[in-house]
Amino acid sequence: MSDNNHIAGIVNGGVFPRVVIIGMPGAGKTRIGKEVAGLLDLPFADSDVEIEHEVGTRIPQYFEEHGEPAFREVECRVISDLLESFSGVLSLGGGAPMFEDTHEALESYIEHGGQVVYLEASPEEAMERARRAGGRPMLAGDSDKRWMTLFEQRDPVFAALATTRVVTHGFTPIGAARKLVDMINEHRVHVGGADPYDVVIGEGVMNHLAEVLGDKPVRVALIHTATVQRHSDRARTLLRQGGYEVSDIVIPDAERGKTIEVANGIWQRLGEEGFTRSDAVVGLGGGAATDLAGFVAATWMRGIRYVNCPTSLLAMVDASTGGKTGINTPQGKNLVGSFYTPAGVLADLKTLGTLPNDIFTEGLGEVAKSGFIKDQAILSILEAHADDLRRFDGSTFAAAGADDATGTDAGFSGSGDLEDIVAQLIERTVSVKAYHVSADLKESGLREFLNYGHTLGHAIEKLEHFRWRHGNAVAVGMVYAAELAHLLGYIDEDLVEYHRSLLGSLGLPTSWNGGSFEDVLALMHRDKKARGNKLRFVVLEGVGHPVHLDDPPADAVEEAFRRIQQ
């Protein structure tokens, strides 16, 4: 699981709840909380039950005999103890977060990595359940009127406190629990800078689409390829449920969709359908689709809101994050574009279940790149699980159930350990990218290190007329950069061989023999890192230590190329 999320309630040597559930009376905190605990194989505790054990009597009786202030003191003490000693799923009484000391204890829990989920049921459902349950001191008298009064007081407090809000309207308890578990297991990476945003990774995170878009847009252009129709259907349903008018725009697959002709067709659609500066774009698909969608968003009326929903491993770890948008020209890849940050990125692991093996595997090239330039733990994870990753099978990785948007019980089951490994790899890789782009959005220095392996990689893609996938080309490009660094004394031969062995173990290519050195050299001179007539590479001085290599000797550039042809 994520470094940002505690596992089984253990963090920094301490023990505390995996999740705390808050909500109004009748929201289903206890029922749904028990289901969540069962799904996570964790114990469940209800603070009201623990309080009754503490005081030796029922809460209504204690309320009547001692009054609310005395009850809140006991409640705070019990909850504070649970926040420091209980490692399961904890449900709190409806008014608990309103007591100042309890609120502060929950804020401290959150600061240490805890998750507080605000369970939101419809008022009608919650009031009916509260009436049936009875015995609630705070709802004495006209219970419905009292419930609405409490809701007006508590809702803004709960919403501000919670780390996650889960709407349960229309869901059965088990359906709501599955939805909540998906959200608990989400990984979030914050990308800082002038326009910060979050990359959310996990099962079902596409459900956040309306939340990230916000309430200003009226119209949303959903830009996607035909190959991801199943996922675009889901996104369209979520958008319409969110109240947006959806323009469905299908583009050619892969690099064929990243052209000025395709972009111009979309601009015409937006103009004809009256898109304004307050409307939005959603890019859904692989890296080419999210690149194009971002470019359209950046250029329409000088910039409108957009959200990326990557559906391939490569797009999740690379193209969808960082604010690079662009199209290709006959002269090269991504030569026309802009830096324009999305409002958010939703990397829904469910979409990986429809990937063919080769498209999943190519994404591991960009994952490995991040390990080589920054995070050695990525390389360790890849080494340890190379066989499973190389044999990736979408049908076993993720078996699709009913759409989460329907509210049915059918859920989504993954392959357990491999799914968690992939989630870790995505989070770590995105974190590496966030580190570089937060400090250097427009690629003036630090961000160039993300181009490790790309100088030759882009040339291979162009010479292969984009029949080679990006991650595969970058894998060969990294071996080339390693050979060049070794020839010039930056690294030893063992690190070059480590590139070959690790990338090869993942099913990635490590050699290429599809073009002449003269053709490759001409394309490398057009690389965005080139300065005038001088070549500029990213090479390693060691794992985690990339450097710029300017104008290397011509014979070394050619010899390194010869070595990757073998």
Side-chain angles (χ1 to χ4, degrees):
M1 297 298 296
S2 162
D3 284 351
N4 298 327
N5 294 334
H6 49 287
I7 302 173
I10 301 173
V11 172
N12 298 328
V15 176
F16 67 112
R18 180 72 172 82
V19 63
V20 174
I21 301 174
I22 63 174
M24 288 294 295
K29 299 184 295 296
T30 299
R31 173 71 186 278
I32 294 172
K34 287 179 178 178
E35 297 284 3
V36 169
L39 290 170
L40 293 174
D41 195 23
L42 292 172
F44 173 77
D46 183 323
S47 66
D48 283 350
V49 173
E50 300 301 318
I51 290 166
E52 290 182 341
H53 290 161
E54 174 81 9
V55 299
T57 186
R58 302 281 293 173
I59 287 176
Q61 182 179 345
Y62 191 88
F63 231 87
E64 183 178 347
E65 294 176 358
H66 302 279
E68 184 179 358
F71 169 76
R72 295 300 179 194
E73 291 287 350
V74 174
E75 179 182 58
C76 180
R77 184 172 68 251
V78 169
I79 291 173
S80 296
D81 287 345
L82 289 167
L83 290 177
E84 295 177 356
S85 62
F86 179 66
S87 62
V89 176
L90 174 61
S91 170
L92 303 189
M98 301 300 292
F99 186 64
E100 184 177 355
D101 289 349
T102 303
H103 194 101
E104 290 177 358
L106 289 168
E107 287 179 330
S108 177
Y109 161 75
I110 292 169
E111 287 174 4
H112 287 84
Q115 298 185 75
V116 173
V117 174
Y118 177 16
L119 212 58
E120 297 181 83
S122 72
E124 294 75 19
E125 288 177 346
M127 285 189 286
E128 181 185 354
R129 283 196 290 262
R131 283 195 303 271
R132 288 202 308 264
R136 299 175 187 265
M138 298 301 292
L139 297 181
D142 185 339
S143 62
D144 286 3
K145 182 177 179 181
R146 182 64 178 148
W147 192 98
M148 288 303 302
T149 300
L150 290 174
F151 176 75
E152 291 170 2
Q153 296 169 353
R154 294 176 179 179
D155 177 64
V157 176
F158 290 0
L161 175 66
T163 58
T164 303
R165 299 169 68 170
V166 176
V167 177
T168 64
H169 177 62
F171 284 79
T172 63
I174 185 61
R178 285 176 173 149
K179 183 178 180 183
L180 200 156
V181 167
D182 284 348
M183 291 188 177
I184 291 171
N185 287 331
E186 289 174 359
H187 303 239
R188 285 180 180 260
V189 178
H190 185 68
V191 183
D195 296 302
Y197 58 96
D198 286 342
V199 180
V200 189
I201 305 152
E203 289 183 5
V205 301
M206 202 183 294
N207 290 329
H208 293 300
L209 197 47
E211 173 190 328
V212 179
L213 283 169
D215 57 8
K216 289 184 180 179
V218 173
R219 286 164 288 272
V220 174
L222 177 60
I223 300 174
H224 64 93
T225 61
T227 56
V228 295
Q229 189 68 48
R230 172 176 154 191
H231 308 309
S232 64
D233 287 346
R234 179 165 168 246
R236 191 181 311 107
T237 298
L238 291 166
L239 289 168
R240 287 175 176 163
Q241 287 179 341
Y244 305 106
E245 296 176 15
V246 183
S247 295
D248 196 69
I249 300 176
V250 182
I251 62 172
D253 194 25
E255 301 298 330
R256 292 182 297 111
K258 284 180 59 175
T259 67
I260 190 65
E261 291 79 14
V262 173
N264 187 53
I266 297 174
W267 290 326
Q268 290 179 8
R269 281 279 304 271
L270 300 185
E272 291 167 358
E273 297 179 18
F275 271 68
T276 69
R277 184 166 289 172
S278 63
D279 292 322
V281 165
V282 171
L284 187 146
T290 58
D291 276 356
L292 178 77
F295 180 68
V296 169
T299 51
W300 183 253
M301 294 196 171
R302 298 187 178 90
I304 62 175
R305 192 172 184 85
Y306 86 105
V307 176
N308 275 334
C309 295
T311 61
S312 71
L313 178 60
L314 181 70
M316 290 180 183
V317 299
D318 183 33
S320 64
T321 300
K324 272 189 178 181
T325 74
I327 55 175
N328 302 330
T329 69
Q331 288 71 40
K333 185 175 179 181
N334 296 328
L335 294 179
V336 176
S338 66
F339 292 96
Y340 190 65
T341 55
V345 177
L346 303 175
D348 196 327
L349 296 182
K350 291 184 179 183
T351 64
L352 299 182
T354 58
L355 288 186
N357 174 271
D358 60 331
I359 297 180
F360 174 84
T361 302
E362 70 138 340
L364 297 173
E366 283 286 350
V367 173
K369 177 207 72 180
S370 292
F372 281 120
I373 66 170
K374 178 69 177 172
D375 184 358
Q376 191 164 358
I378 290 174
L379 304 180
S380 299
I381 295 170
L382 290 173
E383 279 188 76
H385 303 284
D387 288 345
D388 289 335
L389 292 166
R390 185 180 65 253
R391 293 195 296 260
F392 172 87
D393 181 346
S395 66
T396 58
F397 178 81
D403 185 359
D404 282 346
T406 66
T408 60
D409 280 358
F412 176 92
S413 60
S415 59
D417 290 346
L418 183 59
E419 186 179 324
D420 188 55
I421 290 159
V422 171
Q424 289 183 57
L425 289 170
I426 295 171
E427 181 185 16
R428 284 188 171 275
T429 305
V430 171
S431 295
V432 170
K433 187 155 193 177
Y435 166 79
H436 289 84
V437 304
S438 295
D440 180 18
L441 174 64
K442 297 191 176 181
E443 202 169 46
S444 58
L446 180 67
R447 182 172 179 156
E448 282 192 338
F449 292 147
L450 292 170
N451 287 317
Y452 184 55
H454 285 56
T455 304
L456 178 66
H458 282 163
I460 291 174
E461 288 181 88
K462 176 64 177 172
L463 290 170
E464 292 285 353
H465 304 287
F466 300 108
R467 290 187 297 265
W468 264 54
R469 293 196 169 272
H470 177 72
N472 293 343
V474 167
V476 176
M478 287 189 286
V479 176
Y480 172 80
E483 289 284 11
L484 182 60
H486 173 53
L487 286 168
L488 297 176
Y490 285 86
I491 62 175
D492 59 25
E493 189 173 355
D494 287 345
L495 185 49
V496 181
E497 289 309 308
Y498 179 62
H499 278 70
R500 281 198 168 88
S501 63
L502 176 63
L503 296 171
S505 72
L506 297 169
L508 292 162
T510 58
S511 62
W512 178 75
N513 197 18
S516 70
F517 175 69
E518 290 72 25
D519 289 341
V520 166
L521 185 64
L523 287 170
M524 291 197 297
H525 272 289
R526 295 180 193 168
D527 182 76
K528 295 188 294 296
K529 295 185 299 303
R531 300 292 186 267
N533 292 322
K534 296 180 179 180
L535 292 175
R536 181 176 171 91
F537 294 90
V538 175
V539 298
L540 300 182
E541 289 185 323
V543 173
H545 297 285
V547 295
H548 289 111
L549 173 61
D550 293 317
D551 198 23
D555 58 344
V557 173
E558 185 169 4
E559 173 60 18
F561 179 73
R562 186 188 67 79
R563 294 186 180 191
I564 62 99
Q565 291 183 297
Q566 299 173 356

